Amino acid sequence: MNSLFHLAFNVTNLDQTRQFYGGVLGCQEGRSTATWVDFDFFGHQLSMHLGEPFKTAATGHVGEHLVPMPHFGLVLALPDWQALAQRLQAAQIDFILEPQIRFAGQPGEQWTMFFCDPFGNPIEIKGFAALDAVYAT
């Protein structure tokens, strides 16, 4: 089965949304109205609506770090992850968790980075050398 993931959440400014998701992340804009905008988020649909962003708290354990919960994210093939990490670093994104490797040499070895959009919505991007290792135990 092939399917697309859809996530709708709140932002407080659509122009800033376009600058971040379109400009910084390089996502293609889709449909929009005066109160929401859609983006192609690496093959999945994000819909950002004007409103109060969801509350988060640093309660998620990632290794020795606490990260915001809830959060959303993406799993990319490692070359795509590396290109995005470079793009974010060039844009001087303030990372919650700098791009780094986790579980080196273990099942599920992955690269990860955490950051927030301009409205405090936390995003985790993971990279895998082989996508079939995402659920490795």
Side-chain angles (χ1 to χ4, degrees), residues 17-112:
T17 301
R18 288 180 169 98
Q19 290 169 2
F20 182 77
Y21 286 91
V24 175
L25 293 180
C27 299
Q28 174 124 13
E29 184 173 334
R31 296 175 298 134
S32 66
T33 70
T35 62
W36 60 266
V37 60
D38 281 347
F39 281 94
D40 176 346
F41 185 67
F42 303 88
H44 303 281
Q45 184 189 41
L46 292 185
S47 296
M48 288 77 141
H49 294 253
L50 290 177
E52 185 66 30
F54 56 82
K55 295 184 186 325
T56 64
T59 59
H61 292 271
V62 174
E64 299 174 5
H65 304 278
L66 287 175
V67 297
M69 296 297 291
H71 61 264
F72 71 96
L74 183 62
V75 176
L76 295 172
L78 186 55
D80 296 328
W81 181 91
Q82 290 168 326
L84 182 58
Q86 289 174 350
R87 183 182 185 120
L88 294 171
Q89 288 168 324
Q92 299 181 336
I93 293 299
D94 185 22
F95 289 95
I96 297 167
L97 189 61
E98 294 279 338
Q100 60 188 266
I101 191 170
R102 293 191 309 170
F103 313 122
Q106 301 175 43
E109 178 179 277
Q110 62 189 258
W111 287 257
T112 189

